[in-house]
């Protein structure tokens, strides 16, 4: 297979053959194709796209580029949830224990923070002692025993995606529907999920900024999952502001615990219930979405969701007392309000900038090797549509380096747009995309 010919072919807008796509994925996985040729091909794919057959083929080749997780020893359907990434997006920590408390089996491989978005592994590791490393046997046993586990990916899963994703990140080739769809779905298929619920974010904090691009991405992923024979569906949900109020690792764990304890709610809970209800349907536990929501709500109100989180933290070596006393989570030394510069209504937010602001405070990494500070981040004090007066807090910074406060405050003030007119509120749930069906809610 001649890689230069493949680059020229894709540059001219032609489709690659299954053999060529296989050579591409294998060459990425084993390092035999140099980075400059992989990068050139990625850029050609980014600019010229891939048809549905090519995208499905790339997904399967990436899935088979390494090992796969075998979850068949677990009774019942293992159901997984995956978000394309957002800010204040803590749905995993809310819905995994709730779904498990309802009888679902959730064997979840999560990721670390990437760019402006947070990662569930970093959040879990902010709980004292909590580990996200397990052998496959331990992982399967934990899910069998308590219904849920959230751990990091093992080294040999989808090595082709690992190589390509690292290049995409530094060559401006992340925002491509076929590349994102094949990257995400290959990992979900390799991780052994029996059924998959996807949360495709849209808006100013999402990978995809427009609704049409987000629906196209959701459709591409659902079609691949269907071809692979896995029950799959996607919700397209809003990321025009941080989903929860807390942004930062321990802060997001605190918010998840507050929700499971019945002390908090809002959009984060709403989206968690919508996704979790569909996981229960996919697992064959709930008859329909309404039944799923009723079951999730019962697990929330009866406290069995929080109980399940406690069990999961214990099983992963962490201090589960945080579930009853959130002050045992890492605490920042300085707490500083960011005031509104003028009167008006909160009209828009640059959610990506808010995510980067938390990253700058130490909640995320700029380089893979950076250490994160689990305690730091910010808490939003306003939501879109709120009326504010000059001087009232827009957000509160939780920081350990006071010298970062001034710049962070200024960035937040410019990321949160205040106008005189009361704005129209964006929807939270835009669409549901299932095999053969797209339902628009907005
Ligand atoms: N997340 C992934 O895993 N892959 C992408 O391409 C984008 C987001
Ligand atoms: Ca099984």
């Amino acid at each position: 297979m001649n890689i230069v010919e493949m680059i020229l072919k894709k540059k001219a807008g032609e489709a690659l053959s299954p053999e060529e796509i296989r050579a591409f994925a294998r060459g990425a996985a084993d390092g035999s194709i140099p980075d400059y040729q992989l990068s050139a091909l990625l850029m050609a794919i980014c600019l010229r796209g891939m048809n549905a057959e090519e995208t499905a083929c790339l997904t399967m080749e990436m899935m088979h580029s390494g090992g796969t997780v075998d979850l068949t020893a677990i009774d019942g359907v293992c159901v997984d949830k995956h978000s394309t990434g957002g800010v204040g997006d803590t749905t995993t920590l809310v819905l995994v224990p709730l779904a498990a408390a309802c009888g679902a089996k959730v064997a979840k491989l999560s990721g670390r923070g990437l760019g402006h978005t947070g990662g569930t592994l970093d959040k879990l590791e902010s709980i004292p002692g909590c580990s996200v490393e397990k052998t496959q046997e331990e992982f399967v046993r934990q899910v069998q025993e308590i219904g849920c586990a959230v751990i990091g990916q093992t080294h040999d899963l989808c090595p082709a995606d690992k190589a390509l994703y690292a290049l995409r990140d530094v060559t401006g080739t992340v925002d491509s529907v076929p590349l994102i769809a094949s990257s995400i779905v290959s990992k979900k298929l390799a991780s052994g999920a029996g059924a998959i619920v996807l949360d495709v974010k849209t808006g100013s904090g999402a990978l995809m900024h427009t609704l049409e691009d987000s629906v196209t991405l959701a459709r591409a992923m659902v079609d691949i999952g269907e071809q692979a024979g896995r029950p799959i569906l996607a919700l397209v949900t809003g990321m025009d502001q941080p989903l929860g109020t807390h942004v930062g690792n321990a802060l997001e764990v605190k918010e998840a615990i507050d929700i499971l304890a019945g002390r908090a709610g809002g959009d984060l809970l709403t989206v968690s219930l919508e996704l979790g209800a569909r996981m229960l349907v996919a697992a064959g536990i709930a008859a329909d979405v309404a039944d799923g929501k009723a079951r999730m709500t019962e697990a929330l109100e009866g406290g069995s969701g929080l109980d399940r989180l406690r069990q999961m933290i214990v099983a992963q070596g962490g201090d589960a007392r945080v579930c009853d006393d959130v002050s045992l989570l890492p605490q920042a030394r300085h707490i500083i309000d960011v005031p509104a510069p003028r009167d008006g209504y909160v009209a828009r937010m640059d959610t990506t900038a808010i995510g980067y602001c938390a990253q700058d405070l130490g909640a995320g990494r700029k380089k893979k090797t950076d250490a994160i500070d689990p305690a730091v981040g910010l808490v939003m004090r306003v939501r879109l549509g709120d009326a504010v007066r000059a001087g009232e807090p827009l957000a509160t910074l939780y920081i350990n380096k006071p010298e970062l406060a001034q710049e962070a405050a200024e960035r937040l003030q410019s990321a949160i747009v205040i106008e005189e007119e009361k704005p129209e509120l964006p929807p939270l749930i835009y669409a549901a995309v299932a095999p053969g069906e797209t339902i628009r809610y907005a």
Side-chain angles (χ1 to χ4, degrees), residues 165 168 179-180 183-184 187 207:
Y165 199 90
R168 287 167 60 208
L179 293 179
I180 298 171
S183 166
I184 290 176
K187 282 178 284 194
L207 226 47

Side-chain angles (χ1 to χ4, degrees), residues 79-82 188-189 193-198 230-233 282:
V79 57
D80 201 351
K81 187 276 312 180
H82 185 86
K188 293 291 107 181
L189 295 177
I196 302 159
V197 174
L198 300 167
R230 306 277 175 103
I232 186 167
L233 64 84

Side-chain angles (χ1 to χ4, degrees), residues 56-386:
C57 180
L58 179 58
T59 307
M60 300 314 285
E61 291 299 341
M62 292 211 292
M63 171 196 174
H64 290 302
S65 68
T68 54
V69 181
D70 182 0
L71 299 174
T72 49
I74 296 167
D75 298 326
V77 182
C78 274
V79 57
D80 201 351
K81 187 276 312 180
H82 185 86
S83 155
T84 58
V87 178
D89 177 19
T90 320
T91 57
T92 293
L93 294 180
V94 176
L95 65 76
V96 166
L98 287 174
C102 293
K105 295 283 166 53
V106 193
K108 190 154 171 44
L109 300 181
S110 280
R112 301 211 172 261
L114 190 71
H116 67 285
T117 69
T120 302
L121 298 184
D122 297 325
K123 296 173 200 177
L124 277 173
E125 282 181 344
S126 76
I127 299 168
C130 193
S131 160
V132 295
E133 282 165 36
K134 293 240 167 209
T135 65
Q136 278 219 26
E137 295 70 40
E138 292 168 334
F139 181 51
V140 165
R141 194 176 332 122
Q142 182 179 327
V143 176
Q144 184 67 357
E145 282 172 9
I146 65 168
C148 56
V150 179
I151 65 162
Q153 242 174 64
T154 53
H155 304 298
D156 65 339
L157 217 64
C158 295
D161 176 64
K162 195 165 276 175
L164 293 178
Y165 199 90
L167 288 175
R168 287 167 60 208
D169 207 24
V170 293
T171 57
T173 51
V174 170
D175 60 341
S176 149
V177 166
L179 293 179
I180 298 171
S182 56
S183 166
I184 290 176
V185 180
S186 64
K187 282 178 284 194
K188 293 291 107 181
L189 295 177
S191 66
I196 302 159
V197 174
L198 300 167
D199 181 11
V200 178
K201 305 289 189 188
T202 193
S204 66
L207 226 47
M208 294 285 161
H209 293 294
T210 72
L211 178 58
E212 285 326 301
D213 285 350
S214 305
V215 171
T216 301
L217 175 61
R219 169 56 56 205
M221 292 197 284
V222 167
D223 287 349
I224 302 168
E226 189 191 9
Q227 274 192 45
R230 306 277 175 103
I232 186 167
L233 64 84
L235 285 185
V236 179
T237 69
M239 192 37 74
D240 288 303
Q241 57 187 329
L243 182 58
T245 54
H246 290 49
V247 184
N249 296 290
L251 290 166
E252 292 184 49
V253 171
K254 174 191 181 293
E255 184 170 24
I257 291 170
D258 284 345
I259 287 177
L260 291 172
R263 290 188 293 269
D267 290 349
L268 172 56
L269 175 59
T270 303
V271 172
S272 300
L273 293 177
E274 292 284 345
L275 292 166
R278 285 164 174 85
M279 289 167 75
L280 296 185
V281 174
I285 291 167
D288 53 30
V289 174
D291 181 33
K293 266 193 246 180
R295 287 168 190 261
M296 294 281 288
T297 305
E298 202 181 312
L300 176 70
E301 290 172 353
S304 58
L306 183 59
D307 220 42
R308 203 57 65 119
L309 179 64
R310 250 186 225 109
Q311 290 173 30
M312 189 176 95
I313 293 171
V314 170
Q316 298 189 199
D319 183 353
R321 292 177 305 163
V322 297
C323 294
D324 304 293
D325 181 359
V326 289
S327 75
L328 295 172
L329 289 164
Q331 303 287 321
R333 285 189 296 276
H334 305 275
I335 298 175
I336 297 168
D337 282 342
V338 177
R342 66 183 71 85
D343 293 355
Y345 291 95
V346 179
R348 282 183 307 286
M349 294 189 198
D350 180 345
T351 311
T352 297
I354 295 171
Y356 278 124
C357 187
Q359 185 198 54
D360 277 352
L361 295 173
R365 299 174 188 78
K366 291 196 176 63
K367 300 189 303 295
K368 246 192 188 133
T369 48
D370 286 350
I372 60 166
D373 183 339
V376 303
L378 54 99
V379 175
M380 300 296 296
R381 304 286 295 275
V382 292
R383 299 209 59 80
L384 292 176
D386 284 359

